[in-house]
Amino acid sequence: MNAIMTNFEIESPEARLAQNWEGLSEIDQAIRDNRLMEYRIKKSWADPWGRKLTIAGVTVILAVFLFLAGASFGLW
């Protein structure tokens, strides 16, 4: 017999399901709705540094793509 009995073993299955994770409820809802990526993008866009990094990253990717497209057409 195991001398250590956790609270998980004592509680009924209904009580374990009824636990409310206050801090993670929004993420839990996003996972349930299968929209975790949308949640991450919205949180990143709401953060000023995240917004600046996103704009800078997209600008760099676009600049490299335009440079390679221009080079392939012989513009430079």
Side-chain angles (χ1 to χ4, degrees):
M1 178 168 214
N2 192 357
I4 301 172
M5 181 176 272
T6 62
N7 197 15
F8 185 77
E9 296 169 351
I10 297 171
E11 292 178 347
S12 67
E14 293 81 22
R16 280 180 284 195
L17 292 176
Q19 287 180 344
N20 190 7
W21 297 89
E22 295 295 331
L24 302 175
S25 62
E26 189 176 352
I27 295 173
D28 184 45
Q29 182 66 31
I31 292 171
R32 212 172 314 130
D33 293 344
N34 198 16
R35 57 178 179 84
L36 189 57
M37 190 64 176
E38 179 186 355
Y39 170 79
R40 287 180 179 162
I41 291 170
K42 283 183 179 180
K43 285 292 190 181
S44 176
W45 193 255
D47 179 38
W49 281 103
R51 187 179 318 134
K52 290 174 186 173
L53 287 174
T54 301
I55 292 171
V58 169
T59 303
V60 168
I61 291 171
L62 186 62
V64 169
F65 177 75
L66 289 175
F67 174 78
L68 292 175
S72 69
F73 288 121
L75 296 177
W76 38 82

